[in-house]
Every structure is written in C-alpha cells, then in structure tokens.
Amino acid sequence: MTESATTETTAKVPAIEVTDLGVDFWVEGEWVTAAKNVSYTLQGGEVLAIVGESGSGKSTSAMGLLGLLPENGRISGSVKLAGEELVGASLHRLRQLRGAGIAVIFQEPMTALNPVYTIGFQIVEALQVHNAGMLRVDAKKRALELLAMVELPDPQKAFDSYPHQLSGGQRQRAMIAQSISCDPRVLIADEPTTALDVTVQAEILELLHHLRSKLDSAIILITHDMGVVADLADRVMVMKDGEVVETGTADSLFAGATHPYTQALLAAVPHLGEAGEASASKDDREVVVTMTNVAIEYPKRGRVPAFRAADDINLTIRQGEVLGLVGESGSGKTTIGRAVVGLLPAVEGTLDIVGTNMVGINKANLRAVRRDIGIVFQDPGSSLNPRMPIGESIGEPMRLGGGFSRKDEEARVSLLLDRVQLSAHMRNRYPHELSGGQRQRVGIARALALSPKLLVADEPTSALDVSVQAKVLELFQELQKELGFACLFVTHDLAVIDILADRIAVMHRGKIVEQGTRDQVLRNPQEEYTQRLIAAVPLPDPEEQRRRRSEREALFS
C-alpha cells in the first residue's frame, strides 16, 4: 500500500465509534438499565450534542465510555477510540487513555479541580503522567502555553493561583486547559456552561469554537441548554429514559423535529424576543416596594470589614407587577432580594415595604412586615426541611405567624396544594419523594401561605429541567394574575424574564445601570452593559444563532 493510501485510510478511522452501548447498575438484587442501544460515530472536529432531561442517561452513557462508573455499574456494547476497543480493556489501559485519548470538561470546576494544589501544579502533573520522561521545566512551559491558548489574561498568574482565587469563568478555562493538555482525540464537555453567567458562557462557547478547529478533537457536548446546542453542535442526539429517541443535524432537528418528546422539549425552551408585547403598567396601583438611594452592606465579622454590595438603589414595585432584576453573579441582585425580606440591613436611604421603613427596623416590626412577604428560593431541595412532610412545610408560616386554628391551617394547606396543582394526598410525603418540579411547587405554595402582598423569587427555575421550568413558569404566571401580588423576580436568564416581567432593572457591580419596561430594556437597550448581556444569550435556533454570533462580533470587535 502506498503512503498516500495509508494516510487516506487512517484519516477515515473515526475518532470514536459507539455501537449498541448499554449501561446497567446493580440495585437491590437486580440490574437496572440506565442507557441502552446508544450508537454514534464522530470524526475529528465534529461536535455531537447529547440532550435530554435529568435521568435521560446522557451523562451516564458518556462517562461509561471510559469506565467512569460506580462499582455497581457495568457497560456493554462496543466503544472504539481511533479503532481501539475500550469495552473489556484493562483498568491500566483505561487509565492511560483517560486524559490522553478521551478527556472530560466537568460541569463544576470547583469540585473537579483539587483545591489544595495550584492550577499550574495540576496541569503539570497531568502532562508528566501521560508523557513519560517529560521534564518539569518543559511541562511548565507547555502548561503556560495551554493557559494562554484558553485566553486567560495572565497565564503566569493563573499558573500560580489556587482554584478559589479565580473567577468561575477563569476556573472553567483552566479546567479546559488541563483537559486539552494531552491533545485528546475526544473531548467530553459535560454541561460546561451551566454554572456560568451568560456573558462568561458566551466566552466559553467562543473558546470551544476556536479549539475544535485548532485541536481537531471530536467533542461530545452534554447539555440541556438548547441555545448552547444551536451555537456549537453539528449533530444532535436526543435521549429519554435511557434510550435515543431522535438524531439528526442541528439544522434539521431544530427546523423539523419528528419525535413528540423532541418537539415538546423544543417547545418548552424560552426564546428571548418571542414574548408578546407587555401590557401598559397602571401607575394608580398601590406601591408595595419603594427603594430610594438605598445602600446595602454585609456587616463586619471579626477582622473582615463591612462590604457594601449595593449602592444608590432606586426601585418601585406596584401591586400586581413583576419587576425582573437581572445581572451577573456578584452584581448585587440577590443582595437586594435579601434586603427586601429583612435578611440584610439597608444602611442608607429609604427602603419602604408595604408602608414600613426597613432601615433601622426593630425585630417586632420586622416580624409583622414579614407576614406580607413570601420568598421562593433557588434550590427547592435544600430550602425544604427533609424531616418534615410537605403539608407541614406549607403550614409552618401559618403556625409561626399565628391566627390560624389547626383546622384552618389544614384547609388552607389543601387549598394551596390545589392552587399549585398538587393533589391533597401528597401532603404527607417528604421532599425526597418528590421530583424537582414538585418540590418547587411546594416552595411556591409555602411562600403564598400567608397571602403576601410581595413575593421575592430568587432564581426559582434555574435548577429545573427545561420542560419542568416551563410548567413552573406557567403556574407562576397564573397565580400572579389570580392573586395580584407584587413580585421581585431575581434571575440571570433573560429569556425567562422576557416571559414574566412587566419592568426590568439591570444590575452591574452593585448599581442599577438601566431600568424600564420589558420592551424598552430588552428590545431597545441604551447601556452598553445591557447590550452585552442580551447579545450573549444563545438562541435555540442554529441559523438565528449564527446571525447573532456575527452581530455580536461586529458589536464588540
């Protein structure tokens, strides 16, 4: 065979070829299937997105490629990495291939990176493990090149830093640098942007676009974010209950999905810009929240000085109105939510809640004001007492607030369960017996227990699957229209706020930089920061997202 023919044959060998992959777990004396009959082939430079909701098998099937399963797990079928069969390979061989043949970018870099070693040490270690005889000086040089490749602004500083000394986006870049250090044939990106702000997410997606062409690695992208899929994927594989229900190119699947589950999944995705025109706000409604020149500080603790997290805040929320408070992590939006419910002190200005000034308020008056305030937390799992049945959790505000007999409390719990579309017989279940969406419904019911005039919702749908999120948002809209409470809705998801909000306030570095009606802020933003936020949101449509990417590059080039 000639040299050119050999090269041509080698080029046709897929980076990875998966055939009838199955993953099972031994649970209580029997094998339980987590994934079955999963098949796909990827060439170098191709991106396959595996999408589906929690429990669909997308992460389990991907981690099974390298045997990264618990002790009670087993894998079947065939996995060929550049022609080499991995199913049945020895643990020693799999360890050689982990990082060098197939590398993983994990969802949360703070848990994936070792907190007691510097970033540089961890990358150097990976290089020396997979390159026998590589000198430390050469490994350090290569590590600095990798940190520069992932566009960290100061590679030497990042090299010498511990994970906690970097921002979320910088940690994710550092983990990507470690993942690509050994030039893997296949890169598994497991929800690589889920924990990131929208602008940082856009930067990471831009980086992955750059790396796919530079490294020629096949990328398996695991995500539930259809905007990320539209931005990065060539092909899409949809999983449900451990099985593949549909595959296709990104363009064909978004344009004409054929399976009912895929259609439902796409229909549930909030799409920035698709919400109808907001109705005009009526200024004659009762003012529930007024913030005038408010400054909020985290108090001094020991040697740690007081920290001013928000300054010169001016906001008004009226009865029946939803104010969306948006911004990136650290912008101060959650700080405002905490101050509104009296968990943080307002040290300057006027913070008026339902006619009561919260600045310098005593405990007795604060307790009275809190009867008019409900709060829905981000994580429904950790915000409910695991030892308390959900009926008791919903009734707890009534017991603490007083004025309810046991009979009245039980009747109101039944009414609230009905309002959040949960059956009354579920009142004796514990939180762990409910799904994420059901737990969040319980959280909403508890927040409404005392018929509050103000509801503070702090990222209440960010921990939910997209279809569950859609149902919770629909329920939230119905309840808000029916009960007419004022709402401060804190989120970083502009597509969600486009559905819900009457008005929007944008926060950046502790200050409100822009506010107005939903249409004014989202359709005609005046501030450059707001323009950046909106331009960074990936749209769940490949053609539209390509156009958005070009516009974004032109806007900020």
Side-chain angles (χ1 to χ4, degrees), residues 34-87:
K36 63 179 180 179
N37 300 327
V38 177
S39 299
Y40 53 87
T41 301
L42 274 179
Q43 299 289 345
E46 271 193 300
V47 179
L48 171 71
I50 305 178
V51 303
E53 297 176 290
S54 299
S56 63
K58 57 186 189 298
S59 291
T60 300
S61 61
M63 292 303 111
L65 300 181
L66 273 175
L68 293 173
L69 297 174
E71 289 185 0
N72 66 328
R74 71 178 183 185
I75 188 170
S76 58
S78 172
V79 178
K80 291 183 178 178
L81 176 66
E84 179 182 353
E85 180 62 65
L86 302 188
V87 175

Side-chain angles (χ1 to χ4, degrees), residues 341-342 356 358 361-373 396-402 450:
V341 298
T356 301
M358 302 284 281
I361 192 171
N362 61 41
K363 288 186 178 180
N365 289 338
L366 178 59
R367 187 182 180 92
V369 172
R370 281 178 172 163
R371 288 181 58 90
D372 289 321
I373 305 172
E396 188 176 28
M398 290 177 260
R399 294 193 295 278
L400 294 174
L450 296 176

Side-chain angles (χ1 to χ4, degrees), residues 410-469:
E410 288 183 1
R412 181 146 181 81
V413 168
S414 295
L415 174 64
L416 288 163
L417 283 169
D418 181 63
R419 271 191 163 149
V420 299
Q421 299 167 17
L422 292 173
S423 59
H425 74 266
M426 296 180 75
R427 65 188 304 150
N428 294 319
R429 293 190 184 180
Y430 289 85
H432 73 272
E433 298 177 291
L434 306 181
S435 68
Q438 289 173 328
R439 285 196 293 265
Q440 195 58 289
R441 288 168 187 264
V442 173
I444 293 172
R446 182 180 61 180
L448 297 175
L450 296 176
S451 301
K453 293 184 177 180
L454 172 67
L455 190 70
V456 177
D458 187 7
E459 301 271 14
T461 61
S462 64
L464 304 177
D465 284 322
V466 64
S467 62
V468 179
Q469 173 184 267

